[in-house]
Amino acid sequence: MMLPGLKSPWLAFHGGVFVGFAATFYLLNGVLLPWPVPPARQAPPAGEDPVGAAQRPGLFSVAQPRSAGEDSSVADELYRRVRILCWVMTGPRNLESKARHVRATWTRHCNVALFMSSERDERFPAVGLPAKEGRDQLYWKTIRAFQYVHRHHLGQADWFLKADDDTFVVVANLRWLLANYTPERPIYFGKRFKPFAKQGYMSGGAGYVLSKEALRRFVAAFASRACTHTSAVEDLALGQCMEKLGVEAGDSRDTRGRETFHPFVPESHLTEKFSKSFWYWNYCYYPIVEVRGTSRGLVTAALPRPSPFCPAGTVLAGASVTGHGAEPPAVAAVSCPR
């Protein structure tokens, strides 16, 4: 049959050859030899944060430690029900001298543990935040750290603890305290000071813990500029922001009115009396209860410098936790790195 419009047999022949070749080519490549599938879109490298807030190292996640033969049912239940992300304020120079001891001791009891620095360190690992080192940069580091946690780990915990790399935390007692509250309540806990904020604010040195709703409000406030970087004094500036956002300053004292978050080294709270001229009297939101010893519900305390973490941790653990029946002493099975 001659193709329409081709009156010459020679043109019809060559036209038919061309049409046949084209049909065969598309048949082979479309059916028998399918078109190659384009490669899937690759995720950004592990160290690249698409939003640009931080460099992402490997997550340092932990499991609930326990001693052989112990009944850990209560501790395991609290570990599942009261999920705590602990982030530790540190820096490149402190990773080996301080932060490694924190990593080996109390952070093992957190559901998630992160170390926040100004430089990324995949080996440790530490998050590299877009902030500089120095006391005048503490609030910037705190803001960036909470933004990072909110962006990458919000669903992995319900409470979010900030602590320094020279602070010791009895995480079991912290869980016991937080078990009485819902993370959807806008609240945060710590060592409560009173100047410069109507509801007070939490001491940065003693550490503080935000509920999930408090974290959401804090991060959203910086996105909307309801809160800004108003001061280099980290704890006060954060407390003033919390007050503005309607985040409640919680009462972390035990049933006998004794503090559980402590800004000083253990011996100061265990054995010493504070001079009446000491600034601490004017700063404490609650009356200072001077008794020999400390609350069995102790949550945090600062450590001496240089930090002999294991001896101090043993003292703190022995003064707490067992009365709650929540889990064994925080560092009972941990040995100091050499």
Side-chain angles (χ1 to χ4, degrees):
M1 181 183 69
M2 186 177 294
L3 293 176
L6 298 178
K7 299 182 179 180
S8 167
W10 186 87
L11 288 176
F13 171 79
H14 286 82
V17 170
F18 175 79
V19 172
F21 176 82
T24 302
F25 174 83
Y26 283 103
L27 176 65
L28 288 174
N29 283 276
V31 179
L32 300 178
L33 300 174
W35 293 102
V37 178
R41 183 181 180 184
Q42 296 182 348
E48 179 181 330
D49 184 348
V51 189
Q55 299 179 55
R56 301 185 63 185
L59 170 67
F60 178 70
S61 58
V62 288
Q64 169 75 339
R66 57 175 59 87
S67 301
E70 71 170 325
D71 180 3
S72 61
S73 57
V74 175
D76 291 341
E77 174 60 24
L78 282 175
Y79 185 84
R80 288 189 294 269
R81 187 162 63 90
V82 185
R83 300 182 303 161
I84 301 175
L85 180 148
C86 307
W87 71 262
V88 179
M89 177 91 76
T90 189
R93 295 183 179 181
N94 289 353
L95 291 181
E96 290 302 317
S97 61
K98 294 181 179 181
R100 74 184 183 106
H101 301 298
V102 172
R103 183 185 62 187
T105 54
W106 64 262
T107 55
R108 296 177 63 215
H109 294 258
C110 305
N111 296 82
V112 178
L114 298 170
F115 292 83
M116 300 295 188
S117 177
S118 59
E119 295 179 10
R120 177 184 178 184
D121 189 315
E122 292 185 351
R123 177 189 56 82
F124 191 80
V127 177
L129 297 172
K132 300 177 182 178
E133 296 296 334
R135 293 194 62 82
D136 61 339
Q137 297 298 311
L138 289 180
Y139 194 35
W140 274 124
K141 284 183 73 174
T142 300
I143 294 166
R144 300 306 185 208
F146 276 126
Q147 289 173 333
Y148 176 91
V149 166
H150 180 272
R151 181 174 296 117
H152 300 297
H153 302 292
L154 183 66
Q156 296 174 345
D158 302 302
W159 298 91
F160 303 86
L161 171 73
K162 175 265 174 185
D164 292 337
D165 55 15
D166 59 355
T167 301
F168 190 92
V169 181
V170 183
V171 182
N173 283 348
L174 179 58
R175 281 201 179 91
W176 188 267
L177 166 69
L178 298 177
N180 297 308
Y181 300 87
T182 169
E184 297 306 317
R185 178 175 173 177
I187 192 169
Y188 78 126
F189 296 94
K191 166 61 185 176
R192 196 170 178 184
F193 284 159
K194 65 183 178 183
F196 316 116
K198 184 177 180 180
Q199 70 168 4
Y201 63 96
M202 305 305 171
S203 161
Y208 45 81
V209 59
L210 278 61
S211 69
K212 180 173 287 190
E213 178 58 22
L215 175 62
R216 289 193 189 106
R217 293 191 184 192
F218 182 76
V219 172
F222 277 88
S224 66
R225 298 192 63 79
C227 287
T228 58
H229 186 282
T230 55
S231 168
V233 184
E234 162 235 338
D235 48 9
L236 174 60
L238 183 139
Q240 291 173 334
C241 175
M242 290 293 178
E243 183 171 288
K244 181 185 295 186
L245 301 176
V247 175
E248 177 185 354
D251 185 350
S252 61
R253 295 176 297 168
D254 67 11
T255 55
R256 295 172 61 183
R258 296 177 299 183
E259 302 276 5
T260 58
F261 286 76
H262 300 283
F264 304 127
V265 296
E267 57 265 31
S268 294
H269 298 287
L270 290 169
T271 63
E272 297 177 2
K273 285 184 176 292
F274 298 112
S275 168
K276 296 298 181 182
S277 62
F278 189 40
W279 63 266
Y280 192 61
W281 286 93
N282 294 323
Y283 268 67
C284 286
Y285 191 90
Y286 303 110
I288 297 177
V289 179
E290 289 189 300
V291 294
R292 188 173 182 83
T294 187
S295 170
R296 290 182 66 83
L298 181 145
V299 173
T300 71
L303 289 174
R305 298 178 182 178
S307 302
F309 267 72
C310 286
T314 302
V315 171
L316 290 175
S320 60
V321 84
T322 53
H324 283 163
E327 75 175 74
V331 293
V334 179
S335 60
C336 283
R338 298 296 179 183

